[in-house]
Every structure is written in C-alpha cells, then in structure tokens.
Amino acid sequence: MGLGREAGETKYYPPNFDPALLPKPLSKKGPQQVRMMMPVGVQCLNCGEWIPENKKFASIKEKVEGETYLGLTIFRLIIKCPRCSNEIALKTDLEHYDYNVEYGASKNYQHYKAVEKEAAQEAAKKAETAGDTLAAHNRKVVDATREMSQLEQLEELQHRAAQSSKLTEEQLLRSIAEKHTGTAAKKQEDDELDRKEAEALFSSVQQRSLDNASAVTVSTIGSSSSIGHKRRASDSEPVAEDVGPDVLVVKKAKKEKKKKKKDSDFGLDY
C-alpha cells in the first residue's frame, strides 16, 4: 500500500458537504504570458533583423477589443526583437487562416495576397480573350489537339505494356536477338555503301590525276618541238669550231708573247 493511497483515504467529507459552495479560483482576465513559436517570418523595422519562422519567443497574449470574425475572438501576440528589443505585434487573421503584423515589423510573404494576385491576373486574361472569338476557338483547338496526342501516346504505351506482358521468356529473347541481328545487318549494309562510295571517289581522283599527267606530257612535247624548230631556223648562224688542247696552248703562248712585247715597249721588264 502506497503513501498516496493512504493520503487519499484520510480525507474526510462531512454529510452536509456541497461542492458548489467551494470558492472558485481566480481567473486571469488580463494579458497572459505564453511560450510561442513564430508563425511567419518577419523583419524588424528598427534594426532590420530577420526573424525566421518557428523561432521560439516568450510573448504576451491578449484579446483585441472590438474585433471579431463571425463571433470568434481575435488575439494579439506581442514579442520583442532579439537584437534591439523593439516591440512587434502579431494579430490572428481568421479570414485567411494566417497572421498579420500589426506594427514593429514587416511580413516576408503573404500567401493569400499571392493567391489573390494570381486570380486577378487570370481574370484579366480571360476578360481580354473573352471578346476575341477567334482566339478562343484557336485555343480550344490547340487544347483538343494536345489532349488527343496525349491519349494516343497513352494508348500506345498501354498496348506495348500488354504485348510485353503476354510475351514468354523465349519470345522476348527471340525478339531481342532479331533486333540485334537486324541492327548488325543494317550496319554491314552501311559499311558496304561507305566502301563503294570511297572506291568511286578514289577512282575518280586517280583518273583526274592521270588526265592531268597526260596533259602535262603533251604540253612538254609541244614545247620541245617548238625549240627544235627554232634551232633549225638558226642553223645559218656561225658555229664555233671544235678546238683541241694543242691549239689552246699555242693561243695562250701567243697572248703571253704579245703582253711581254707591250710591256717592253713601256719599259717594264720582268
């Protein structure tokens, strides 16, 4: 038997006990201090500190006097900036399931405003194209064509899936082998075509080089024949006679004799 049970059994309740006559505990009607996490990200207007979402704060919770939404109470949450101790107040927004910054900071992002902006842009676009019947018709045709192509692709995929599911293992291996065989045969045909094209190209280049060589030979023969004609025409000119070594020695001795005679005339003796 525990002490807690003994403590509970020692209490005495008289026969005339009335729980309604017990004094009620004092209720806190004023502001309450609660521990909270930031529901939204804000930036302090005093120091520029960024306060992220889900950061813990000790806040003061109080009712907003004179403001309700469909009979529901709107609350105000007051916190202090962790950098400059600036007071920041948040207020519940029951209409948009959100929180609004009342003062002291600016909200980073407001989802309902982005949704409203997107809806306004869509409405403006529809209003612009509402009067243009041709544009609306073209848009419907494009959408229908896209849907039909998507349905065709889906049907094709379903058909392929059904065929593959019905195939046995042997049939699947046979289809893969046939595919590889067809690929190899196609590759061999392509190689054969490339070889034939290369041979034709080389033969044409060789024939062209032979033609050029024959043309050069013909031009060389023509030039040599023209040179021969010129030589025949100049046969009337005097041709130097063949001179032997003895004649050259005699001529050299005569030149030296003439030179000595000339030097002796001027008084030069060697």
Side-chain angles (χ1 to χ4, degrees):
M1 184 180 293
L3 296 177
R5 185 173 179 180
E6 290 179 359
E9 288 180 353
T10 56
K11 291 181 181 179
Y12 173 74
Y13 296 96
N16 58 352
F17 175 74
D18 188 4
L21 299 177
L22 292 174
K24 294 182 179 180
L26 298 175
S27 61
K28 297 181 180 180
K29 296 183 178 179
Q32 301 176 7
Q33 188 172 1
V34 295
R35 187 75 172 169
M36 62 164 284
M37 296 177 70
M38 283 295 293
V40 292
V42 297
Q43 183 183 15
C44 179
L45 296 178
N46 188 26
C47 63
E49 176 74 10
W50 293 94
I51 303 174
E53 189 176 353
N54 299 329
K55 186 178 178 63
K56 293 181 180 180
F57 282 95
S59 65
I60 296 174
K61 175 185 174 183
E62 61 183 13
K63 294 181 180 180
V64 179
E65 299 295 337
E67 291 187 22
T68 56
Y69 176 73
L70 300 178
L72 301 175
T73 306
I74 296 176
F75 291 95
R76 180 184 291 113
L77 301 169
I78 302 173
I79 62 173
K80 289 187 177 182
C81 175
R83 185 177 180 182
C84 64
S85 300
N86 180 37
E87 193 173 275
I88 300 172
L90 304 175
K91 192 165 63 173
T92 56
D93 186 6
L94 303 178
E95 182 178 359
H96 301 102
Y97 304 97
D98 202 357
Y99 289 82
N100 292 332
V101 180
E102 196 171 10
Y103 60 86
S106 61
K107 197 173 180 181
N108 298 340
Y109 177 73
Q110 295 181 353
H111 176 69
Y112 70 91
K113 287 190 176 181
V115 172
E116 289 177 356
K117 185 178 180 181
E118 187 177 354
Q121 290 178 355
E122 190 70 22
K125 187 176 180 181
K126 287 182 179 180
E128 288 178 0
T129 57
D132 194 354
T133 310
L134 183 60
H137 178 69
N138 292 335
R139 189 169 61 255
K140 287 182 180 179
V141 169
V142 171
D143 294 341
T145 307
R146 188 187 302 110
E147 289 179 1
M148 289 177 64
S149 64
Q150 291 176 355
L151 287 174
E152 290 177 357
Q153 292 177 1
L154 181 61
E155 289 178 358
E156 185 177 358
L157 291 174
Q158 289 177 352
H159 182 65
R160 288 181 181 178
Q163 286 184 348
S164 63
S165 62
K166 292 178 182 178
L167 290 176
T168 61
E169 185 176 356
E170 295 180 357
Q171 293 175 350
L172 185 61
L173 292 174
R174 192 182 302 111
S175 63
I176 293 171
E178 290 176 357
K179 187 183 295 184
H180 284 294
T181 305
T183 305
K186 187 176 180 182
K187 185 177 180 181
Q188 188 175 1
E189 291 178 0
D190 294 341
D191 293 341
E192 186 67 22
L193 289 174
D194 293 340
R195 187 181 63 78
K196 289 181 179 179
E197 289 179 0
E199 288 179 357
L201 182 62
F202 290 150
S203 62
S204 63
V205 171
Q206 189 175 4
Q207 185 65 29
R208 194 179 302 140
S209 62
L210 290 174
D211 294 342
N212 293 336
S214 61
V216 170
T217 306
V218 171
S219 63
T220 306
I221 293 170
S223 62
S224 62
S225 62
S226 62
I227 292 170
H229 287 302
K230 288 181 180 179
R231 284 183 178 177
R232 290 193 198 96
S234 61
D235 286 342
S236 58
E237 296 179 0
V239 181
E241 297 179 355
D242 294 335
V243 180
D246 297 337
V247 177
L248 292 174
V249 170
V250 171
K251 285 185 177 182
K252 188 175 181 181
K254 287 182 179 181
K255 284 183 179 181
E256 290 180 355
K257 189 176 181 180
K258 286 181 181 181
K259 187 176 182 182
K260 288 180 178 180
K261 186 178 180 181
K262 191 176 181 179
D263 293 339
S264 62
D265 293 339
F266 284 102
L268 297 173
D269 294 330
Y270 294 93

